[in-house]
């Protein structure tokens, strides 16, 4: 509801409900907003207040312009009303005029929206997980057996007077249960809605059990024709209200998908409740109140302060293009800004840029894994999705280092660190790993080189071992530059991640990937975890739209339904240990290095001959002899593939 003509229509509905020429009531009469105003003086809550914007009926009120606010203030003065409330304004809107006019914000929950990106069953499974999906589907199926479902266009309501009467009665009872408040949908209000601009786009839905109406509500199609808003619903009768509500939301999803709509707006509420219904977009809202003795809080920064490690050119440029507006939802606008083809379906649209909810899902999922203590303290501002972890390496070198500044690597290690550094004209210094297991850092050598960026691969690729944790922590604490820890294989390790330490160190970046343990190499999803100022620097370098909608759907599905992936990790660990034992006893193998990954580094007798025989047997392993003499890196496959390797090695004798 972003158009003045729509908000004006809802204003008329409220005035009709109040039997008044002006939308004036006490904030205490707005039942659903009691929590938002809990800290206010009771006298303020009882004082007559002019309600501006879309009123509590609408999902949001567009932030009023300075001109509109002047008119609202004059209206309040003419009515001799001392308070003004503009409810449900998106935080992403320009709220500067509200602050300038003396309005104070109060948190009002979030708009909850579900994007219908495919079959409803697939979407819900991806968003809420298998168990919750079965629960929602079960409620819908059970209630469908005993409760009917009807939708009546509001302009045809005269042909169903029983539905009109039941709707008004259910909302009257609901208002009584809320403390005998005014009924926001009495007969006059409903008539005003029918006759107004929204009447042609609004349907009433009704559920009956044995002829008795047990639920009635309203949905309105958005002005861009792409989705629906759930305006209201009231329940009364012997059925469990929560189950009935969930079944109705499920039915609205089915109807909307059948009608070719892209989204369903569930209204205003708490995010956790919206998530349980499958919502995946949450738009924070505030109520703005102007009253005596209210002081506006200090305005928070729109973006986090840039890190001190940002390269000088990065400090002079903003986040590129449309990514600057990633927190500004466009689901209910007519978007003519992107020069795309509107005639060839959803793939013609650019990917969603607001990945905050997916970031929350990732942090919640890994925060429950062993060795990830402290991750729960991170917010979505600490995370940036990249096109694989290697893209994260390129981004951070471009954003945080300038030509001539040194990059330190610790061979043997992943070769693309050096590759990207040289492409960006950054000198590379090497501080080789030490110890029999190649797990010890040359800390003093690294510090003496004073690099701008030190990149550690932990667990190490190609060795498979973990670095000495005390040495890593010492390096992070003492280094003047950045320390980047690539944890591509950390889920296979029994030792902890460094992700939980991000909040303590402004020079620490942890790279993760979903290509390995999570089995999504084709989705190209990497994660950079760092303090928000560092993430902001990376975002200024990142190309927008690199994280496709298809990849986002795959990632959400895997994280929400993580059981198979976690079971596969356990299977890989078990098979890794079996293979390590078998290879250690094999005559062609000199040594198997300890591994906390999904691969094994193996030193061979007669390395070149064995590699030739493996190639001849149609088995590909990574020849790492150029970095660790006489070795190959063997990925852990399934049992059949692993046994084929053992058999081929026997023929190599």
């Amino acid at each position: 509801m972003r158009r003045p003509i729509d908000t004006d229509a809802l204003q008329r509905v409220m005035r009709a409900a109040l039997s008044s020429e002006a939308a004036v009531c006490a904030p205490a009469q707005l039942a659903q907003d009691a929590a938002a105003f809990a800290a206010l003086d009771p006298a303020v809550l009882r004082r007559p207040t002019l309600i501006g914007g879309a009123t509590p009926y609408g999902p949001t009120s567009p932030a009023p312009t300075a001109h509109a606010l002047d008119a609202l203030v004059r209206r309040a003065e003419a009515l001799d009303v001392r308070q003004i409330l503009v409810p449900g304004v998106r935080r992403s809107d320009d709220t500067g005029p509200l602050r300038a006019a003396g309005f104070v914000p109060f948190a009002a929950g979030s708009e909850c929206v579900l994007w219908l990106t495919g079959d409803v069953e697939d979407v819900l499974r991806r968003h809420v997980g298998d168990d919750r999906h079965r629960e929602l589907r079960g409620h819908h199926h059970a209630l469908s057996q005993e409760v009917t479902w009807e939708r009546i266009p509001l302009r045809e309501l005269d042909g169903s007077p029983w539905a009109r009467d039941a709707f008004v009665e259910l909302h009257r009872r609901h208002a009584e249960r809320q403390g005998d408040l005014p009924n926001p949908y009495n007969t006059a209000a409903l008539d005003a809605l029918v006759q107004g601009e929204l009447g042609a786009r609004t349907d009433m839905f009704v559920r009956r059990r044995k002829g008795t109406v047990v639920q009635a509500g309203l949905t309105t199609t958005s002005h861009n024709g792409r989705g629906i808003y759930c305006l209201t619903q009231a329940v009364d009768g012997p059925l469990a209200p929560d189950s009935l509500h969930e079944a109705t939301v499920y039915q609205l999803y089915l109807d909307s998908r059948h009608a070719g709509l892209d989204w369903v707006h569930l209204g205003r509420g708490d995010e956790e409740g919206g998530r349980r219904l499958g919502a995946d977009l949450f738009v924070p809202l505030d109520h703005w109140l102007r009253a005596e003795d209210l002081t506006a809080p200090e305005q928070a920064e729109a973006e986090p302060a840039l890190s001190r490690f940002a390269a000088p050119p990065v400090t002079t440029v903003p986040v590129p293009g449309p990514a600057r507006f990633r927190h500004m939802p466009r689901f209910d606008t007519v978007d003519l800004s992107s020069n795309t083809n509107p005639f060839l379906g959803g793939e013609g649209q650019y990917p969603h840029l607001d990945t905050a909810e997916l970031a929350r899902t990732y942090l919640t999922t890994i925060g429950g894994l062993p060795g990830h203590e402290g991750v729960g303290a991170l917010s979505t501002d600490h995370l940036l999705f990249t096109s694989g972890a290697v893209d994260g390496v390129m981004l951070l070198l471009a954003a945080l280092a300038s030509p001539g500044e040194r990059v330190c690597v610790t061979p043997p290690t992943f070769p693309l660190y050096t590759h990207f550094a040289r492409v960006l004209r950054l000198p590379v210094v090497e501080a080789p790993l030490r110890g029999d297991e190649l797990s010890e850092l040359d800390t003093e050598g690294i510090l003496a080189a004073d690099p701008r960026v030190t990149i550690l691969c932990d667990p190490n690729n190609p060795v498979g071992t973990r670095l000495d944790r005390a040495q890593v922590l010492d390096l992070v604490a003492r280094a003047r530059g950045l320390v980047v820890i690539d944890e591509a294989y950390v889920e296979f390790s029994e030792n902890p991640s460094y992700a939980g330490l991000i909040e303590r160190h402004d020079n620490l970046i942890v790279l993760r990937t979903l290509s390995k343990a999570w089995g999504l190499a084709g989705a190209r999803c990497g994660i950079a975890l760092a303090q928000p100022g560092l993430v902001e620097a990376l975002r200024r370098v990142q190309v927008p739209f690199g994280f496709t909608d298809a990849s986002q759907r795959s990632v959400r599905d895997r994280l929400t339904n993580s059981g198979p992936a976690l079971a596969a990790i356990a299977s890989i660990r078990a098979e890794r240990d079996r293979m390590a034992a078998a290879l250690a006893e094999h005559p062609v193998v000199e040594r198997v290095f300890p591994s906390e990954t999904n691969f094994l580094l193996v030193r061979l007798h007669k390395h070149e001959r064995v590699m030739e025989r493996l190639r001849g047997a149609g088995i590909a392993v990574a020849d790492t002899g150029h970095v660790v003499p006489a070795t190959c890196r063997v990925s852990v496959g399934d049992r059949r593939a692993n046994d084929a390797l053992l058999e081929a090695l026997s023929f190599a004798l």
Side-chain angles (χ1 to χ4, degrees):
M1 303 265 176
R2 308 298 288 168
R3 303 187 307 168
I5 192 171
D6 294 335
T7 57
D8 289 347
L10 290 171
Q11 272 276 329
R12 288 193 292 273
V13 173
M14 186 172 190
R15 292 198 297 269
L18 296 172
S19 300
S20 170
E21 291 298 316
V24 176
C25 70
Q29 294 179 293
L30 306 177
Q32 71 180 56
D33 297 313
F37 300 126
L40 283 176
D41 185 321
V44 175
L45 288 174
R46 293 192 296 268
R47 193 174 295 152
T49 303
L50 177 62
I51 312 297
T55 79
Y57 293 92
T60 66
S61 300
T65 63
H67 176 75
L69 282 174
D70 286 343
L72 195 61
V73 169
R74 289 196 300 271
R75 177 69 168 153
E77 291 173 349
L79 294 168
D80 194 24
V81 173
R82 297 162 58 189
Q83 295 182 170
I84 305 173
L85 174 67
V86 180
V89 177
R90 292 175 181 170
R91 289 182 192 166
S92 54
D93 285 357
D94 178 11
T95 57
L98 282 163
R99 290 183 182 276
F103 285 76
V104 175
F106 294 86
S110 298
E111 294 178 90
C112 304
V113 181
L114 170 70
W115 282 99
L116 291 168
T117 52
D119 177 77
V120 170
E121 308 299 338
D122 291 341
V123 169
L124 287 176
R125 179 187 175 278
R126 192 160 60 235
H127 289 187
V128 301
D130 288 332
D131 293 343
R132 177 63 177 155
H133 171 228
R134 282 192 292 268
E135 185 179 9
L136 288 171
R137 187 171 57 184
H139 287 160
H140 174 257
H141 178 73
L143 285 166
S144 296
Q145 306 305 305
E146 58 175 322
V147 181
T148 63
W149 170 259
E150 300 163 75
R151 295 187 71 167
I152 307 166
L154 214 57
R155 290 280 169 87
E156 300 175 13
L157 200 56
D158 286 344
S160 304
W162 59 270
R164 173 196 296 271
D165 295 342
F167 176 90
V168 172
E169 178 61 16
L170 287 184
H171 279 79
R172 184 190 66 78
R173 295 178 196 169
H174 179 77
E176 285 181 351
R177 288 194 296 271
Q178 298 296 315
D180 200 20
L181 298 175
N183 178 5
Y185 277 110
N186 54 29
T187 301
L190 192 57
D191 287 342
L193 185 60
V194 171
Q195 296 161 12
E197 172 66 24
L198 297 175
R201 306 201 321 255
T202 301
D203 289 347
M204 179 178 291
F205 61 85
V206 180
R207 282 190 178 275
R208 290 193 280 184
R209 181 177 181 268
K210 298 179 180 179
T212 300
V213 175
V214 295
Q215 183 184 35
L218 298 173
T219 64
T220 294
T221 304
S222 62
H223 77 278
N224 65 1
R226 294 184 59 197
I228 61 167
Y229 301 100
C230 299
L231 289 188
T232 182
Q233 62 172 292
V235 178
D236 195 36
L239 299 173
D242 290 344
S243 297
L244 188 55
H245 173 67
E246 291 179 355
T248 294
V249 169
Y250 197 100
Q251 184 65 54
L252 289 173
Y253 293 161
L254 295 175
D255 287 0
S256 299
R257 184 59 185 167
H258 180 72
L261 300 179
D262 295 336
W263 49 267
V264 175
H265 191 294
L266 301 177
R268 205 165 69 224
D270 70 284
E271 293 185 9
E272 195 53 44
R275 288 188 187 101
R276 287 183 56 78
L277 293 172
D280 60 339
L281 175 64
F282 301 95
V283 185
L285 304 173
D286 291 309
H287 296 322
W288 289 82
L289 179 65
R290 180 166 128 157
E292 297 175 357
D293 303 323
L294 289 182
T295 303
E298 292 185 10
Q299 188 169 6
E301 294 186 49
E303 298 289 353
L306 200 61
S307 167
R308 63 188 175 96
F309 291 103
V314 173
T315 65
T316 65
V317 296
V319 172
R324 291 199 302 274
F325 311 109
R326 64 192 180 278
H327 295 313
M328 299 177 118
R330 293 189 174 185
F331 63 91
D332 55 358
T333 59
V334 175
D335 188 357
L336 299 177
S337 66
S338 300
N339 302 337
T340 56
N341 189 329
F343 300 105
L344 295 177
E347 293 302 319
Q349 303 300 314
Y350 282 114
H352 295 300
L353 285 169
D354 190 349
T355 56
E357 180 62 14
L358 188 57
R360 186 207 65 83
T361 300
Y362 177 78
L363 292 172
T364 300
T365 301
I366 70 164
L369 300 179
H372 287 75
E373 291 75 15
V375 171
L378 303 182
S379 72
T380 58
D381 289 334
H382 290 86
L383 186 151
L384 180 71
F385 288 108
T386 63
S387 182
V390 291
D391 180 49
V393 174
M394 186 70 165
L395 284 177
L396 69 90
L397 291 177
L400 306 173
S402 299
E405 292 183 319
R406 289 182 290 276
V407 175
C408 181
V409 297
T410 59
T413 192
F414 188 52
L416 281 184
Y417 307 150
T418 296
H419 174 85
F420 287 139
R422 288 176 175 163
V423 165
L424 294 171
R425 302 178 184 178
L426 303 172
V428 177
V429 296
E430 295 185 348
L433 296 176
R434 297 172 169 178
D436 185 54
E437 297 179 356
L438 298 175
S439 60
E440 298 175 15
L441 291 175
D442 178 8
T443 306
E444 299 307 321
I446 296 172
L447 293 173
D450 194 24
R452 177 68 169 183
V453 181
T454 300
I455 307 179
L456 308 178
C457 190
D458 188 30
N460 181 274
N461 177 13
V463 182
T465 52
R466 294 297 302 267
L467 296 174
D468 183 288
R469 188 173 181 85
Q471 287 186 315
V472 172
L473 295 176
D474 180 50
L475 177 64
V476 173
R478 296 170 61 193
R480 293 203 308 162
L482 289 153
V483 178
V484 179
I485 304 177
D486 184 349
E487 292 190 340
Y489 300 93
V490 76
E491 291 92 344
F492 300 107
S493 173
E494 295 182 359
N495 288 304
S497 164
Y498 292 94
L501 303 180
I502 288 293
E503 189 57 38
R504 303 185 202 172
H505 302 283
D506 71 345
N507 67 331
L508 176 62
I509 301 175
V510 173
L511 299 180
R512 306 286 290 254
T513 183
L514 274 77
S515 296
K516 308 301 182 182
W518 297 96
L520 289 176
R524 305 311 304 136
C525 179
I527 292 101
L529 297 171
Q531 290 197 4
L534 283 170
V535 170
E536 169 69 7
L538 302 186
R539 204 183 298 279
R540 295 188 184 194
V541 174
Q542 188 175 42
V543 175
F545 303 123
F547 192 18
T548 69
D549 283 344
S551 292
Q552 292 179 41
R553 290 193 291 270
S554 296
V555 170
R556 182 182 297 280
D557 189 14
R558 188 58 48 86
L559 294 174
T560 306
N561 300 281
S562 60
L566 299 179
I569 292 171
S571 297
I572 288 173
R573 285 178 174 176
E575 194 65 10
R576 176 192 68 196
D577 295 344
R578 181 183 79 90
M579 285 295 291
L583 288 169
E585 298 296 324
H586 204 286
V588 303
V589 174
E590 178 183 337
R591 182 186 179 190
V592 179
F593 284 76
S595 176
E596 296 194 47
T597 64
N598 64 339
F599 59 82
L600 296 166
L601 186 69
V602 180
R603 178 170 285 137
L604 302 167
H605 298 297
K606 299 182 180 180
H607 170 260
E608 292 184 5
R609 178 182 176 185
V610 172
M611 293 300 296
E612 181 181 344
R613 291 297 179 90
L614 289 178
R615 286 191 292 270
I619 294 178
V621 297
D623 188 346
T624 52
H626 59 293
V627 289
V628 182
T631 62
C632 67
R633 191 192 65 197
V634 180
S635 297
V636 177
D638 59 24
R639 181 171 284 263
R640 181 175 180 178
N642 295 335
D643 287 345
L645 171 72
L646 295 174
E647 182 180 9
L649 287 175
S650 296
F651 282 116
L653 287 172

